[in-house]
Structures are given as C-alpha cells and as structure tokens.
Amino acid sequence: MPDLIDKAMPAIIDGKSPSTQQQYTYVASLLKEVFAEFMPDQVRHGDIVQMMDMYKDNYATGNRMLTVLKLVFQWALDRGIINFNPAISVKRHKQQTRDRLITTNEYQAIYKNCPDWMQVIMDVCFLTGQRIGDVLHIKRSDLREDGIYFQQQKTGKKLIVAWTPELSAAIERAKAARKQTISMTHLFTTRGGVVRAHSNVWKTFKKAAAEAGVENVTLHDLRAMSGTEADNQGIDSQKLLGHTDRRTTQIYLRDKTAKVVQGPRKKAQ
C-alpha cells in the first residue's frame, strides 16, 4: 500500500491548489502508516471503517484520509492493479458545524502577543475576509487602484476587495516591513524574501492565542469574524467571502445574538 500511494499521489495532487496539495500529501503519509502491512488487494471495507473509527475525534483528518484513499484506489482500478475500490462504500464522518466567533477583546488579546508581521497579517485577513493562503500570496501587482485583487486558490473565484482607510493603513505597514526584505513581488515574506510558510503563520497565531489565554480558536476563524462583522454592518458578506451559494456564507455568519427589529406601524383609521 505505501508503494501504491506513492505512485498514485503525483496524479492525485496534479492541478490542485498548493494548500490542497499540502493537505493531501500529509494525509497520504498517515495512510501509509495505517496500511503499512497491507497489499492493495487485501484492503477491505471493514479495514477502512476501522481507520475512520481511529479518527472519530479528528473527523476532518479522517474525512480527508478517506477522500485520498478513494482517489488512490480509483487510480489503481483504472490501471488494472485492483478489481474494485473498497473505499467507495465507506461513509464520511458527519461534519460538525463550527460556531466559534472571535470577539473584539479576544482579537486584541491575541494581537498584543503577536510579532509585528503577524499583526499585519491578522489585520489583512480580517479586513479582506480572505483565506490565509490567499492573503499570504498577495503580490505587489495585486494592489490595484480600486482595491486588492484576489483569485482564490481553493475555488478560482476572482474578486477585488475595495480600499478602506483601515485596509490601506495595514497594507502600508506591510510595505514598510517588506522594504527590509529582498522580495520585489510578494507582500508577506521573510527577511530572505521567501513567502511566509502557511504552517509557521498558523503556529505563531496559536502560540499568541495560548499566551493570551484564548481557547478553541484558529486562524481561519478570522474569516468568519470578518464575514460576520461585514454582515452586521450591512455589507454583502457573500460577495466578500467569494461564495457562490448563500448557504455556504451562512456557515461563516456566527453572530447568534438576538437582533433588534421593528414591526409595522398601525395605519391611522
């Protein structure tokens, strides 16, 4: 199985976004450990169910492992290496809807424990509502007269987030830090001019959150915070987040407080 996974992975990740390639490669390494002693034709439905049970407390990883395993077996089936795909009949873990909303106080507490470069990234994530992978890959050429141009890596969606005074100030801070690097293309780089690694940015954020005493929070929650605040301000959060389906946007709108509404007035008789 490890040999089969290694052979299939180049075709599986070909054309995928960098973040998806990274995620698939990681779970492929887990699959090679789980099925280290198996030949491809020895893997059965029940073996894969046992694997899913192992990851019932980490359902996202388990589901991703199942996705990659299905693709590996389909690759092998197409080439006559196996006679059937045993992963097809295995059910995914039911996705749990995340409802964590970072408060303004929590944001500020995490912010204070971050280095300057991480503070700017946090601000740009919140002010644009974009995924961290798309923020880290902002180029100088993406800074246009009407706003910041994004082509989302996950969906290919194209949009421009218009300038606001706060966003302009954050980008100016990023430019000032960028002058200390040798990069002339990307905005968020190390001093050596290399685009900051997604994993290191996540670790820095988690470390700052732990030091601030803010629990159960991820960097991706900034996207939900942005979409929720935009919605509260009457801004079209669906367009900001780049979703085609409004139902997807609803997942990110996490303000559950009761809204003050006004009923109709009674007409005079």
Side-chain angles (χ1 to χ4, degrees), residues 169-183:
I171 294 300
E172 288 304 315
R173 288 165 57 205
K175 286 180 179 179
R178 182 172 159 276
K179 291 178 181 178
Q180 303 173 22
T181 76
I182 61 175
S183 174

Side-chain angles (χ1 to χ4, degrees), residues 153-171:
Q153 295 178 358
K154 184 176 181 179
T155 64
K157 180 79 172 183
K158 298 177 182 179
L159 69 156
I160 294 175
V161 180
W163 294 115
T164 62
E166 295 84 358
L167 181 56
S168 295
I171 294 300

Side-chain angles (χ1 to χ4, degrees), residues 71-246:
L71 293 172
V72 167
F73 279 128
Q74 186 60 50
W75 183 90
L77 183 64
D78 291 342
R79 287 156 181 80
I81 299 172
I82 57 175
N83 294 319
F84 70 99
N85 187 337
I88 289 294
S89 56
V90 179
K91 294 181 180 179
R92 294 167 58 85
H93 290 303
K94 187 176 181 180
Q95 292 288 119
Q96 300 174 17
T97 302
R98 184 169 176 79
D99 60 2
R100 180 69 162 92
L101 178 63
I102 301 176
T103 66
T104 301
N105 288 339
E106 287 175 330
Y107 182 96
Q108 291 299 334
I110 297 170
Y111 195 86
K112 289 178 181 178
N113 284 280
C114 286
D116 292 346
W117 62 266
M118 185 68 220
Q119 290 180 347
V120 179
I121 290 175
M122 282 183 63
D123 281 342
V124 175
C125 283
F126 171 70
L127 294 168
T128 65
Q130 302 308 300
R131 299 176 181 86
I132 181 60
D134 295 321
V135 168
L136 291 179
H137 283 84
I138 294 175
K139 297 179 181 178
R140 182 173 60 176
S141 58
D142 295 327
L143 306 178
R144 303 186 177 183
E145 184 176 347
D146 49 352
I148 305 177
Y149 170 79
F150 291 95
Q151 180 169 359
Q152 297 180 340
Q153 295 178 358
K154 184 176 181 179
T155 64
K157 180 79 172 183
K158 298 177 182 179
L159 69 156
I160 294 175
V161 180
W163 294 115
T164 62
E166 295 84 358
L167 181 56
S168 295
I171 294 300
E172 288 304 315
R173 288 165 57 205
K175 286 180 179 179
R178 182 172 159 276
K179 291 178 181 178
Q180 303 173 22
T181 76
I182 61 175
S183 174
M184 295 299 292
T185 55
H186 288 85
L187 198 61
F188 296 111
T189 62
T190 64
R191 288 186 180 275
V194 179
V195 176
R196 291 194 179 274
H198 187 278
S199 57
N200 288 340
V201 174
W202 272 82
K203 288 177 183 177
T204 302
F205 180 84
K206 292 293 287 185
K207 181 175 181 291
E211 291 173 350
V214 180
E215 300 179 346
N216 184 30
V217 65
T218 72
L219 192 54
H220 195 61
D221 289 333
L222 292 179
R223 181 164 158 83
M225 184 185 183
S226 176
T228 301
E229 184 59 29
D231 190 68
N232 288 339
Q233 293 181 20
I235 298 169
D236 191 332
S237 53
Q238 182 177 347
K239 288 183 178 179
L240 176 68
L241 300 180
H243 294 146
T244 302
D245 192 331
R246 179 68 185 179

Side-chain angles (χ1 to χ4, degrees), residues 13 15-25 133-134 137 151-154 198:
I13 65 175
K16 299 290 192 298
S17 70
S19 60
T20 299
Q21 289 185 13
Q22 184 179 25
Q23 292 169 351
Y24 279 17
T25 300
D134 295 321
H137 283 84
Q151 180 169 359
Q152 297 180 340
Q153 295 178 358
K154 184 176 181 179
H198 187 278

